[in-house]
Amino acid sequence: MEASGLDSEGREFKNAEEMWRAEIGDGADPHKKTDWYRKGVGYWEGVEASVDGVLGGYGHVNDVDVKGSEAFLKTLFSERFVDAGRIQHLVALDCGSGIGRVTKNLLIRYFNEVDLVEPASHFLEAARETLASGKLMFSDMHKAANFYCVPLQDFTPETGRYDVIWIQWCIGQLADDDFISFFKRAKAGLKPGGFFFLKENIARSGFVLDKEDRSITRSDLYFKELFGQCGLHLYKSKDQKGFPGELFPVKMYALTTDMPKRVLGARSKMQANRPAVIK
């Protein structure tokens, strides 16, 4: 990624390569990258296991977030899973699941099984307590199935298990090489016709590095360059609406391993980028 960026302390970088070299080194010292991830997880281990905690003090955006995701998911379901809920047994993977907020409020209603993967153990235990304890009375046909306490850079999904792999507000914790490695591994976890649902903060240009939680907010262009390196195709994207103006814009991407079929007469639409921090 050649565009310039900056970190939360105001340091400017000519490009992402310079920033990653400063943060995790050039590979000669693997301990530097290990330390990057340790500090990132350490930040979240100090955060309260609540909706307000996992949303960085912006718990009030939960409903708007879920409604925006659901509207986009419904569109994707109608196009990708014509018989969804009738003859298919649908399975999702909730990556960086935190306390199970997205699974509880959305995924469990659309998928027969949801697996959760999360590196912060107290978040995952909170999710397990809520989703697997009987506190929420889901039917036997809709349940949280497995809980994996593993960071994404070390996680490999079960081959051919998932219709949707959901990744929201967590991929910024991964360095570019681990981002690419994760998606390349995770592709094998999708069923035929399955897709990735990625929802993330978007920088106006280049990138913004948060030194406190060791995460990077990438621009739309930055993401698209990485998607190409992962061998993924952009099926559809949509901007999240209704968030407070001081936050970064948020975008949703549906990504497939197969080339999307072009619709005759369809035109591409330029999406405007706007400024600002949700974690």
Side-chain angles (χ1 to χ4, degrees):
M1 178 67 196
E2 288 305 313
S4 61
L6 71 160
D7 68 21
S8 53
E9 296 174 353
R11 179 180 175 182
E12 296 184 1
F13 299 92
K14 290 184 296 184
N15 51 44
E17 184 180 354
E18 180 187 28
M19 181 274 293
W20 287 123
R21 200 161 46 240
E23 291 298 316
I24 63 174
D26 56 6
D29 180 7
H31 297 295
K32 197 166 185 181
K33 184 190 268 192
T34 300
D35 191 53
W36 157 276
Y37 285 123
R38 181 184 59 79
K39 288 177 178 176
V41 173
Y43 170 86
W44 289 107
E45 286 176 339
V47 171
E48 180 184 70
S50 65
V51 171
D52 207 48
V54 297
L55 292 180
Y58 282 84
H60 57 282
V61 307
N62 178 65
D63 289 347
V64 177
D65 168 58
V66 171
K67 286 175 183 175
S69 296
E70 184 168 16
F72 192 41
L73 184 62
K74 280 183 175 179
T75 298
L76 299 169
F77 258 55
S78 67
E79 296 173 358
R80 304 284 299 185
F81 306 138
V82 178
D83 296 313
R86 285 194 286 273
I87 62 172
Q88 291 174 278
H89 184 87
L90 298 175
V91 184
L93 176 65
D94 185 358
C95 296
S97 63
I99 61 171
R101 181 186 69 89
V102 175
T103 292
K104 171 189 169 183
N105 292 306
L106 177 60
L107 300 182
I108 205 78
R109 294 189 281 113
Y110 284 84
F111 297 89
N112 303 103
E113 294 183 67
V114 183
D115 293 343
L116 293 81
V117 56
E118 165 61 43
S121 59
H122 72 305
F123 284 172
L124 197 65
E125 283 309 306
R128 191 196 304 273
E129 186 179 339
T130 301
L131 296 165
S133 66
K135 285 184 178 180
L136 291 177
M137 296 305 292
F138 300 119
S139 74
D140 291 338
M141 297 299 293
H142 293 268
K143 63 182 182 180
N146 298 295
F147 298 82
Y148 302 108
C149 192
V150 186
L152 285 189
Q153 69 271 17
D154 297 328
F155 184 72
T156 301
E158 180 183 332
T159 301
R161 173 164 169 77
Y162 301 106
D163 297 280
V164 173
I165 295 179
W166 190 283
I167 306 157
Q168 180 170 352
W169 286 329
C170 63
I171 205 68
Q173 303 291 153
L174 296 195
D176 289 355
D177 58 342
D178 288 323
F179 179 116
I180 295 165
S181 296
F182 168 72
F183 274 104
K184 285 185 174 181
R185 293 194 310 275
K187 284 192 290 186
L190 290 173
K191 296 178 186 176
F195 60 90
F196 293 99
F197 188 114
L198 177 68
K199 186 169 187 176
E200 276 297 337
N201 296 342
I202 301 294
R204 189 189 316 183
S205 65
F207 57 89
V208 178
L209 172 69
D210 189 322
K211 297 283 285 185
E212 185 179 18
D213 68 3
R214 295 304 195 275
S215 69
I216 179 174
T217 299
R218 299 171 170 98
S219 67
D220 180 56
L221 180 60
Y222 195 157
F223 270 120
K224 286 174 178 174
E225 286 189 12
L226 290 177
F227 297 157
Q229 293 179 57
C230 296
L232 295 172
H233 302 281
L234 180 58
Y235 178 76
K236 252 188 176 75
S237 64
K238 186 177 182 180
D239 293 328
Q240 171 70 50
K241 305 293 186 184
F243 279 5
E246 70 268 21
L247 301 181
F248 279 110
V250 172
K251 202 174 190 74
M252 295 172 275
Y253 300 94
L255 305 164
T256 63
T257 57
D258 56 308
M259 182 77 77
K261 296 183 176 68
R262 289 193 174 276
V263 179
L264 193 62
R267 296 183 181 181
S268 62
K269 191 167 80 173
M270 293 293 288
Q271 300 285 350
N273 261 339
R274 297 179 296 281
V277 175
I278 195 165
K279 296 173 184 163

